[in-house]
């Protein structure tokens, strides 16, 4: 990820699992499975983006281990797992472009868009839109505490997309000027809500009050079988980075993500199509069948 900034944490994690699968010296399916599970545990415990990584790894393991059900030799089983892993990884890498394509009709000329933090899929959608001669303006919140919004602003400027950097505290002020809010997601939970960069929930509530659509752009590998009811339901290892997650007292730690309830979300643009939040649970059932 340090060498290729365009790669998401989930794809980096699954690429790592593919390398392990390719070079593993196990002699039985059970041993190989244990090694993969151990690798998933190591990756999720060390990742600074554990939210999306955990769901991506779970789907990857589910997808490739179907091969264990087949009545074949271990060598054949491993080959099938590798082939399925390559298919899964290809689907992941194509997902961002699919999301961008189905979002394109929503970029109407003269539109003002508000976004939060840096999202690769939102950036891809805006890049496709500007290449398709769409004219729009983007307001980007700074996204404290890591200022990831500034990075998003720089990326938009590099693409010659008209944009304005605003303070996180200016979201309410600017909301009446925008036509829509467009954000990414680190994770989509079973209720249709999202876990995303801290401040997303505030932006969604504000958009609801101003009657502005709140759109989420996300790949389906970020769908997770979680069902949080509120902010307290989010696991500490999702909310806090590795340096803080084991502290006895987290009252003074700054969470990196928050939970946005599905009632604040207008539509989800995914590689599976455009979904209402209520449709996410059905899609999750299909993904894990």
């Amino acid at each position: 990820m340090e060498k290729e900034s365009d790669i998401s944490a989930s794809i980096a994690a699954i690429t790592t699992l593919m390398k392990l699968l390719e070079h593993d010296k196990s002699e039985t399916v059970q041993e190989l499975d244990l090694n993969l599970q151990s690798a998933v545990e190591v990756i999720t415990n060390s990742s600074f983006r554990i939210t999306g990584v955990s769901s991506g790894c779970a789907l990857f393991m589910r997808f490739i281990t179907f091969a264990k059900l087949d009545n074949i030799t271990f060598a054949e089983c491993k080959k099938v797992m590798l082939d399925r892993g390559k298919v899964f990884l290809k689907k992941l890498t194509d997902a961002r472009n699919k999301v961008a394509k189905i979002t394109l009709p929503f970029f109407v000329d003269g539109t003002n868009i508000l976004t939060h933090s840096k999202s690769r899929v939102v950036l891809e959608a805006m890049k496709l839109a500007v290449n398709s001669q769409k004219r729009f303006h983007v307001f980007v919140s700074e996204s404290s505490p890591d200022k990831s919004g500034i990075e998003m602003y720089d990326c938009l400027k590099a693409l010659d997309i008209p944009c304005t950097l605003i303070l996180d505290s200016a979201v309410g002020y600017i909301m009446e000027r925008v036509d829509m809010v467009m954000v990414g997601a680190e994770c989509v939970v079973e209720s249709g809500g999202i876990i995303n960069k801290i401040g997303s929930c505030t932006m969604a509530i504000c958009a609801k009050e101003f009657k502005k659509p709140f759109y989420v752009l996300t790949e389906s590998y970020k769908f997770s079988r979680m069902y949080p009811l509120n902010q307290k339901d989010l696991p500490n290892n999702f909310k806090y980075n590795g340096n803080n997650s084991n502290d006895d007292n987290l009252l003074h730690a700054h969470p990196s993500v928050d939970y946005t309830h599905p009632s604040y979300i207008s539509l989800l643009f995914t590689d599976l199509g455009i979904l209402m939040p209520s449709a996410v649970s059905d899609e999750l059932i299909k993904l894990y069948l």
Side-chain angles (χ1 to χ4, degrees):
M1 289 183 66
E2 290 176 358
K3 293 178 181 177
E4 299 182 49
S5 60
D6 197 44
I7 292 180
S8 68
S10 301
I11 291 178
I14 291 166
T15 303
T16 303
L17 291 177
M18 280 293 295
K19 286 291 184 184
L20 173 64
L21 183 59
E22 187 177 341
H23 298 288
D24 188 81
K25 303 299 182 184
S26 302
E27 296 181 355
T28 64
V29 171
Q30 185 177 11
E31 185 182 358
L32 176 58
D33 192 39
L34 286 172
N35 287 344
L36 287 170
Q37 293 288 358
S38 298
V40 169
E41 187 175 344
V42 170
I43 291 168
T44 52
N45 286 339
S46 62
S47 174
F48 64 96
R49 293 290 190 189
I50 185 176
T51 319
V53 168
S54 59
S55 58
C57 287
L59 278 170
F60 174 79
M61 291 295 292
R62 177 70 176 165
F63 190 82
I64 67 164
T65 51
F66 279 147
K68 294 188 298 185
L69 302 176
D70 300 332
N71 187 22
I72 52 179
T73 66
F74 173 70
E76 292 171 326
C77 180
K78 186 174 179 179
K79 183 181 183 304
V80 172
M81 291 171 77
L82 275 168
D83 291 341
R84 290 182 178 179
K86 289 173 184 175
V87 170
F88 186 81
L89 194 57
K90 179 70 166 55
K91 287 175 67 177
L92 261 59
T93 52
D94 291 344
R96 195 181 301 169
N97 187 252
K98 287 183 179 179
V99 176
K101 285 180 178 177
I102 66 169
T103 313
L104 186 59
F106 285 75
F107 285 90
V108 179
D109 281 348
T111 297
N112 288 320
I113 303 169
L114 175 62
T115 191
H116 183 56
S117 186
K118 183 187 178 184
S119 165
R120 293 177 180 86
V121 68
V122 171
L123 187 62
E124 182 72 19
M126 291 180 175
K127 181 180 178 180
L128 179 63
V130 80
N131 289 340
S132 302
Q133 309 304 314
K134 301 282 188 176
R135 295 180 295 107
F136 55 94
H137 189 98
V138 184
F139 292 94
V140 189
S141 59
E142 281 188 341
S143 310
S144 294
D146 63 1
K147 306 291 186 181
S148 54
I150 297 177
E151 189 179 348
M152 180 71 167
Y153 172 77
D154 291 338
C155 291
L156 292 170
K157 292 287 285 185
L159 294 169
D160 292 325
I161 297 174
C163 54
T164 304
L165 187 66
I166 66 168
L167 298 171
D168 290 340
S169 53
V171 166
Y173 175 83
I174 207 72
M175 190 63 73
E176 64 184 24
R177 293 180 56 188
V178 305
D179 300 293
M180 69 177 83
V181 180
M182 192 174 283
V183 301
E186 292 195 14
C187 180
V188 180
V189 298
E190 198 167 347
S191 64
I194 63 167
I195 300 171
N196 197 41
K197 176 70 187 293
I198 188 78
S200 299
C201 178
T202 306
M203 191 175 282
I205 293 171
C206 190
K208 183 86 169 182
E209 183 65 27
F210 278 82
K211 296 179 173 57
K212 301 298 173 73
F214 186 88
Y215 297 139
V216 177
L217 279 62
T218 182
E219 304 93 332
S220 60
Y221 63 80
K222 294 180 180 177
F223 285 20
S224 176
R225 292 185 296 180
M226 289 178 57
Y227 206 109
L229 299 175
N230 50 40
Q231 309 296 345
K232 287 184 179 180
D233 271 352
L234 297 181
N236 284 340
N237 59 346
F238 278 35
K239 290 191 288 186
Y240 306 101
N241 63 36
N243 296 327
N244 291 325
S245 59
N246 294 322
D247 290 350
D248 294 330
N249 187 359
L250 292 170
L251 291 175
H252 303 293
H254 199 301
S256 59
V257 298
D258 60 24
Y259 168 62
T260 302
H261 193 273
S263 62
Y264 299 120
I265 298 171
S266 305
L267 292 171
L268 295 107
F269 295 82
T270 78
D271 50 300
L272 303 175
I274 301 174
L275 306 176
M276 294 288 288
S278 57
V280 170
S281 58
D282 291 336
E283 295 300 330
L284 263 170
I285 290 171
K286 295 175 188 175
L287 285 170
Y288 280 93
L289 275 177

